[in-house]
Amino acid sequence: MLMLRVTTATVLLVIFCLTIALGPLAFAGVMAICFGAVLFEWLRMGGLGPVPAALVAAVEMITQFSLYWAGALPRMEWFLWLVNGCVMVAWAVIFFAELFHRENGFKVSVRTCLLTAVTFVPSAYLSLLYLFEIGDWVMVLSVLLIVWGADISAYFSGRAWGKHKMAPAISPNKTWEGALGAYVIVIIFFLLTYWFCAQKNVFTNFIFDELGFFWGVVVLAGMVALSIAGDLWESMLKRLVGIKDSSNLLPGHGGFFDRMDATLPVLPAATWIVLTVVLLG
């Protein structure tokens, strides 16, 4: 199983690098397929049949990709700022609801499941494209590293010191010690990045330059919290429908939703912060 997971991850990394090398449209097209797969899996969890789910996912992602292809993204900054602000607030509410119901979980209606799917996934996709547009792959990778760093740090910190369950009714393996480890390690890593890396298109360098040390740390902590919210949200949806993985599209990893759940809240939040500085700063 480990070899299968490593092989799949390696193939995905190669594809990711190739799409960046081939140019913005190739990157946007491949990412549209990935986010479309996330949306398809999410809609299936909401009870939509495979054909309607595939049609909705295809229409939404083709529409978003077409907007990017037409060069509309620079003229959508205020729209993205407004939508991503609402999405970020919604994810924050979800996070507090997850913590409040951590002992017994809570039900999610079909309407809520479907509405969040068709709103959150396109928002994350357009946010990814906007970050790529203004800061190239470095900006995108620096945002994704917040998610990946938090996930890896939480896993190893939880394995080493985890005793107190964070949300036992939603995701029994997550612990407060793991979350604390994620916060500490991610913040230290990006502080060191800021001190030793002068590139302005690194997301965390941008927020430390524009917002200062204190608010930069606050933003980082908030984004780690949002990544946890996305992870818990998918875990809860899977528990409600009684499945282990969102699909089997990625051998050894489950589905695209399984791999990108924590990314979905973080990308809109990062874009909203950048747009707030650009538009209102």
Side-chain angles (χ1 to χ4, degrees):
M1 178 60 74
L2 178 60
M3 182 59 67
L4 184 60
R5 288 175 65 88
V6 171
T7 302
T8 301
T10 302
V11 171
L12 291 175
L13 181 61
V14 170
I15 293 173
F16 182 75
C17 293
L18 282 176
T19 57
I20 291 173
L22 290 173
L25 281 180
F27 177 77
V30 171
M31 290 301 104
I33 295 172
C34 294
F35 280 89
V38 173
L39 182 53
F40 170 78
E41 293 168 359
W42 194 334
L43 293 172
R44 292 287 289 127
M45 287 186 193
L48 219 57
V51 174
L55 286 175
V56 171
V59 168
E60 284 226 16
M61 301 320 298
I62 289 172
T63 300
Q64 313 304 316
F65 175 75
S66 298
L67 288 171
Y68 180 75
W69 196 346
L73 211 54
R75 297 189 291 274
M76 294 173 62
E77 287 185 330
W78 281 105
F79 173 78
L80 276 177
W81 181 81
L82 179 61
V83 170
N84 284 353
C86 295
V87 166
M88 189 170 59
V89 170
W91 274 114
V93 171
I94 287 172
F95 182 55
F96 285 113
E98 290 165 344
L99 294 183
F100 185 77
H101 295 281
R102 66 192 192 88
E103 297 288 350
N104 52 7
F106 62 94
K107 298 293 184 182
V108 178
S109 69
V110 170
R111 179 180 297 180
T112 300
C113 182
L114 297 179
L115 180 61
T116 51
V118 299
T119 305
F120 290 177
V121 177
S123 170
Y125 174 64
L126 284 179
S127 297
L128 178 82
L129 296 184
Y130 181 79
L131 293 171
F132 187 78
E133 188 83 1
I134 65 168
D136 207 355
W137 65 269
V138 176
M139 178 70 80
V140 172
L141 184 60
S142 61
V143 173
L144 295 179
L145 280 174
I146 297 173
V147 179
W148 299 340
D151 186 47
I152 294 169
S153 302
Y155 174 78
F156 285 106
S157 298
R159 286 285 298 269
W161 301 292
K163 293 181 180 179
H164 301 90
K165 303 293 186 183
M166 175 184 286
I170 300 173
S171 184
N173 293 328
K174 287 184 171 51
T175 63
W176 289 109
E177 291 83 1
L180 180 61
Y183 280 110
V184 171
I185 293 171
V186 167
I187 289 172
I188 290 175
F189 174 82
F190 282 105
L191 284 174
L192 292 173
T193 300
Y194 180 64
W195 286 326
F196 292 107
C197 175
Q199 280 190 271
K200 299 297 183 181
N201 57 344
V202 173
F203 172 75
T204 47
N205 287 1
F206 174 83
I207 62 172
F208 282 125
D209 282 337
E210 296 293 334
L211 304 179
F213 173 78
F214 175 78
W215 288 109
V217 170
V218 170
V219 166
L220 264 179
M223 295 183 77
V224 171
L226 287 174
S227 73
I228 295 171
D231 198 333
L232 290 176
W233 177 254
E234 197 220 0
S235 294
M236 186 173 59
L237 291 180
K238 290 193 292 186
R239 283 188 173 276
L240 290 175
V241 296
I243 59 175
K244 182 179 182 295
D245 297 318
S246 58
S247 77
N248 57 1
L249 292 175
L250 296 174
H253 290 267
F256 282 86
F257 195 8
D258 295 317
R259 297 283 61 81
M260 298 171 68
D261 52 4
T263 306
L264 297 175
V266 171
L267 287 170
T271 302
W272 186 84
I273 292 164
V274 171
L275 284 169
T276 298
V277 172
V278 170
L279 298 175
L280 304 177

